[in-house]
Amino acid sequence: QEQLVESGGGSVQAGGSLRLSCETFGHTYRSNSMAWFRQAPGKEREGVAFITSADRVTFHADSVKGRFAISIDYAKNTVYLQMNSLKPEDTGVYYCAAAHGIAAATSLLPWQYNVWGQGTQVTVSS
């Protein structure tokens, strides 16, 4: 069964950068899509970006477009989220998710992903 382990979170000042990593374990075939979500205190989980494994098509939410970039390294079984020009409103727990053994996700709706990581905290101070 596929497992996802996130890393790279931390505390930065506004305008800074972080790179999150999501390493996948325990699978014999690739997930069809990988994504990053985030959840701020008291708010619903929000989709940030996804990437399809077959052709590496990416999609980024409007709130992060031009600042964040999702990418995938098959050799390392790892998905990345490069986050630049961070803002205090980017603060939250960031989760990696996969559509594994099911149809490739075509959006950032949580129900399209069936495997989730534990999350990594990102805190941006002003």
Side-chain angles (χ1 to χ4, degrees):
Q1 182 175 352
E2 180 162 273
Q3 294 181 322
L4 310 177
V5 178
E6 303 99 332
S7 62
S11 297
V12 296
Q13 290 192 327
S17 298
L18 284 173
R19 188 176 79 157
L20 305 183
S21 299
C22 171
E23 191 170 1
T24 65
F25 298 91
H27 60 275
T28 56
Y29 56 92
R30 291 175 187 161
S31 297
N32 288 318
S33 304
M34 300 290 297
W36 287 96
F37 288 77
R38 67 185 180 187
Q39 189 165 19
K43 294 189 176 181
E44 293 187 355
R45 193 166 295 189
E46 171 192 23
V48 176
F50 78 80
I51 183 167
T52 59
S53 298
D55 48 14
R56 303 195 191 198
V57 170
T58 62
F59 176 86
H60 297 80
D62 287 344
S63 58
V64 305
K65 198 171 294 183
R67 300 188 298 121
F68 291 11
I70 189 171
S71 63
I72 192 165
D73 185 334
Y74 295 128
K76 296 182 178 181
N77 293 322
T78 300
V79 176
Y80 301 99
L81 184 68
Q82 178 65 46
M83 307 188 295
N84 300 324
S85 302
L86 283 160
K87 304 176 181 180
E89 52 263 43
D90 294 319
T91 294
V93 178
Y94 282 69
Y95 298 91
C96 181
H100 189 71
I102 60 174
T106 55
S107 73
L108 286 169
L109 293 173
W111 62 263
Q112 290 198 323
Y113 301 87
N114 61 335
V115 183
W116 293 81
Q118 295 293 322
T120 184
Q121 176 70 44
V122 171
T123 303
V124 184
S125 57
S126 58

